[in-house]
Amino acid sequence: YHPHDWRGWWAFGTGSLGDMACHTANLAFMSLKLGLPHRVSAVSGEVNPETYPAWATITYEFGQRDQMPPVRFTWYEGAKDGQRNLPDADLLHGQEIPASGMLFVGDEGSILTPDDYGAKQVLLPVEKFQDFERPAPTLRRLGEGNNDDNHKREWIRAIQGGPPTMSNFDYAATMTEAMLLGNVAVRTGKALEYDGAKGKVTNCREAAQHVDSGHRAGWEV
């Protein structure tokens, strides 16, 4: 189980989705104001009662948000038949497929972030955007130096009455709820219709036990 593989057991962890989506999906989730999806579906490798499957492709569908149109978000993980489970290589316009990252696919071009954290952005196709002037940063910066230390300082400042952290509970809880619905879709093997206001899957009774598994006596919320 230790130090890493505990995440792959249903009883202990939330799989690679629960481990990494808070990092890898954050850029899309924050910039596109995704909120909660209304539909989540998945295809995956064999699902057994003990462990997460070897691979999964999970599709989230989000409705219109303010002036933003509906959007589809697809998560790829694991390896299928000895090959990494990946989107169509043509979408990367000849760029090398990174070990991890995110790809925004738009009408006029795409944005590739070739790492877990969205720290770098590559505009695609490269030749089309080589003269593009990037906008000045607008989000609050945490400072220079070790990133982990900066996060800790941000947390401490918030506790002491400073500004809320960028990933405050109101944001992080919604993102966590949205992303982990993918695991429910994997486990049930069904496309789920989700009522975010009520926190309920409306078309699959089996999903309820995975959305809210209850709490042991003494651990109620």
Side-chain angles (χ1 to χ4, degrees):
Y1 295 164
H2 292 289
H4 173 272
D5 291 345
W6 61 271
R7 76 177 193 177
W9 296 78
W10 292 114
F12 304 124
T14 48
S16 58
L17 179 70
D19 184 354
M20 295 306 298
C22 62
H23 306 296
T24 312
N26 180 62
L27 182 58
F29 202 86
M30 182 176 290
S31 61
L32 298 178
K33 302 178 182 179
L34 293 182
L36 296 173
H38 62 79
R39 192 173 191 270
V40 183
S41 57
V43 292
S44 73
E46 180 184 358
V47 178
N48 65 68
E50 299 294 336
T51 61
Y52 286 80
W55 66 272
T57 302
I58 304 167
T59 302
Y60 302 80
E61 296 179 35
F62 298 88
Q64 183 166 329
R65 292 96 52 225
D66 296 328
Q67 302 302 312
M68 295 183 176
V71 67
R72 178 177 296 168
F73 176 100
T74 307
W75 172 271
Y76 300 86
E77 64 176 41
K80 181 181 181 182
D81 299 327
Q83 301 293 323
R84 292 170 60 198
N85 181 32
L86 296 167
D88 188 336
D90 290 343
L91 294 174
L92 277 82
H93 297 273
Q95 292 290 304
E96 181 179 351
I97 297 176
S100 182
M102 168 161 283
L103 180 68
F104 293 80
V105 180
D107 294 333
E108 302 297 329
S110 301
I111 303 174
L112 172 66
T113 64
D115 61 51
D116 288 328
Y117 305 103
K120 179 182 178 182
Q121 305 88 37
V122 181
L123 302 183
L124 303 175
V126 172
E127 59 274 12
K128 179 178 180 179
F129 297 103
Q130 58 185 350
D131 296 326
F132 178 77
E133 185 174 342
R134 293 172 179 260
T138 58
L139 297 178
R140 183 177 74 248
R141 267 38 186 180
L142 301 181
E144 302 296 332
N146 183 279
N147 193 45
D148 287 339
D149 284 347
N150 288 327
H151 285 326
K152 293 170 186 175
R153 293 190 183 104
E154 182 191 35
W155 172 246
I156 292 171
R157 286 197 298 268
I159 293 172
Q160 294 175 332
T165 62
M166 185 171 293
S167 186
N168 196 40
F169 291 110
D170 54 353
Y171 169 80
T174 301
M175 182 181 182
T176 300
E177 179 181 351
M179 293 296 99
L180 290 187
L181 283 169
N183 284 338
V184 181
V186 167
R187 197 158 192 181
T188 60
K190 297 178 180 179
L192 307 178
E193 304 292 336
Y194 191 63
D195 184 337
K198 296 181 179 179
K200 295 182 180 297
V201 173
T202 60
N203 68 326
C204 177
R205 291 185 178 181
E206 180 187 353
Q209 63 182 308
H210 305 305
V211 173
D212 184 357
S213 58
H215 304 278
R216 291 177 294 169
W219 298 92
E220 298 90 348
V221 175

